[in-house]
Amino acid sequence: MDIPDVRNCIKSFLEGCDLVYPKTEAHLQFEADIVAESKRRGYITPENAKLRPFISTGVSMACNAYCHQSHEIQLFVCFYTAFLIYMDDSYETDIEHILPYNHNFITGEPHNDIILNYFRELMLEAPTLFGMAEANIIISATLNWITGLTIEQEVRNAQLGPSSYQLPTFARIMAGAAEAFALYIFPKEVPLIWKLQALTHACPFINGGNDILSYYKEQVLGETTRVALTSKCRGVTLLVVLNELVDEAVTAHRQTLIALEGSGSALEAWKAFSQGYIGFHAGSTRYLLDRLDLEAAA
């Protein structure tokens, strides 16, 4: 797929959601604070700085997508994002090493990667920040995300036929942790019923939006994507699948706005997040979006 096609899909996504491609800043002070807190917590030490390269992406997520949230939630989101990307990059070809994580999380057994032990400690903060029911969903989604790494590898390496066309989407949902990222949007005092009404629409927006905005990076790096696998199963072009994801994400965003009508702060939080989610991708060098000249296309 050519760059103009990818650029046009992103432009259609933004226009359909009434969002803009923003100019972003580096948030250097927040990152410095996060690094200091990482050292205080033991996440980063002179002997083990493996998490440090992933902090910047976490900063972009926290300061853009969750700019409306409190500092303590931004801090949690930053660490959560950094841990996920650390695991995604570190264990992509070493799935066997991470498979015991969910069992260890439940039993309290230490994992042989100290970074993952710190991740468990972070997750145990969720009930205080988000509420108990919300934390249950967040933790379930996170454990599914770990399992999703295995599922994605299996799907990526399989010979899939036409009858398996929904399997790439199932793998994407499992490995998206979208329920967690959706619940981080809302202040704790927002009634649970409003959060639940938003979830079913917010999750396809979060997963689909990331697929759309990360597609160029994945194509450049030769990664096997949900778009490519679905295209192969169905025998349609990559552009057809990417445009369908755009339509689904736009619909999900609009339905979230409708679901939250009358909710007050929950609706405002969603509006801030949805625009900030674009800012997260734009502000992270991970996604290579600066190569697409999207500011000029906006």
Side-chain angles (χ1 to χ4, degrees):
M1 194 186 305
D2 295 332
I3 285 179
D5 289 330
V6 178
R7 185 190 296 120
N8 287 336
C9 284
I10 293 175
K11 186 177 180 182
S12 294
F13 169 56
L14 296 177
E15 289 178 348
C17 295
D18 197 22
L19 302 172
V20 299
Y21 190 81
K23 293 182 179 180
T24 58
E25 56 185 274
H27 303 288
L28 296 178
Q29 184 57 57
F30 184 86
E31 182 158 353
D33 293 344
I34 287 294
V35 171
E37 179 65 13
S38 299
K39 292 177 180 178
R40 189 190 72 78
R41 292 180 176 221
Y43 296 172
I44 297 174
T45 67
E47 298 75 28
N48 188 345
K50 292 190 295 184
L51 189 66
R52 179 63 184 94
F54 306 96
I55 292 291
S56 294
T57 304
V59 169
S60 186
M61 178 69 88
C63 292
N64 288 297
Y66 299 91
C67 60
H68 61 287
Q69 277 286 31
S70 66
H71 180 78
E72 62 179 352
I73 289 179
Q74 285 184 310
L75 183 144
F76 181 95
V77 168
C78 179
F79 284 138
Y80 182 85
T81 304
F83 279 123
L84 289 197
I85 296 174
Y86 165 78
M87 287 185 279
D88 193 21
D89 285 7
S90 301
Y91 294 105
E92 183 180 9
T93 58
D94 188 19
I95 295 299
E96 293 298 321
H97 190 80
I98 203 173
L99 272 178
Y101 181 80
N102 289 2
H103 180 267
N104 293 342
F105 185 94
I106 293 168
T107 63
E109 290 293 317
H111 201 80
N112 54 13
D113 181 346
I114 193 172
I115 300 295
L116 301 190
N117 293 328
Y118 285 131
F119 183 50
R120 182 180 187 273
E121 291 180 9
L122 180 78
M123 294 309 302
L124 296 180
E125 298 176 20
T128 301
L129 290 173
F130 304 103
M132 187 57 72
E134 293 88 340
N136 288 343
I137 297 171
I138 289 166
I139 291 171
S140 296
T142 303
L143 296 181
N144 279 342
W145 185 90
I146 301 288
T147 305
L149 294 179
T150 302
I151 294 173
E152 282 195 325
Q153 186 181 71
E154 289 292 318
V155 171
R156 188 183 305 126
N157 297 329
Q159 294 295 321
L160 302 179
S163 63
S164 301
Y165 74 96
Q166 296 218 37
L167 188 52
T169 295
F170 170 73
R172 181 67 182 87
I173 291 171
M174 286 290 287
E179 297 88 351
F181 285 108
L183 286 171
Y184 299 156
I185 296 168
F186 304 107
K188 185 177 180 180
E189 61 271 16
V190 170
L192 178 61
I193 189 60
W194 284 115
K195 300 173 187 177
L196 295 176
Q197 289 179 81
L199 271 182
T200 55
H201 306 299
C203 291
F205 172 84
I206 291 169
N207 283 334
N210 180 256
D211 286 338
I212 294 159
L213 294 167
S214 66
Y215 179 78
Y216 175 72
K217 180 268 291 187
E218 292 165 341
Q219 190 178 45
V220 168
L221 299 181
E223 299 174 0
T224 303
T225 65
R226 171 189 178 187
V227 173
L229 289 169
T230 303
S231 167
K232 186 176 181 180
C233 285
R234 290 173 50 197
V236 298
T237 67
L238 297 168
L239 185 57
V240 165
V241 178
L242 193 58
N243 275 318
E244 288 176 351
L245 286 180
V246 168
D247 291 341
E248 290 170 9
V250 169
T251 298
H253 175 64
R254 292 174 178 175
Q255 289 298 319
T256 307
L257 293 173
I258 293 171
L260 291 176
E261 284 181 356
S263 66
S265 61
L267 178 60
E268 293 309 308
W270 174 257
K271 290 178 179 178
F273 167 80
S274 56
Q275 178 58 62
Y277 193 53
I278 311 304
F280 155 62
H281 289 86
S284 174
T285 57
R286 179 180 180 85
Y287 297 104
L288 308 179
L289 291 175
D290 57 308
R291 301 184 185 181
L292 299 182
D293 198 21
L294 288 164
E295 288 185 32

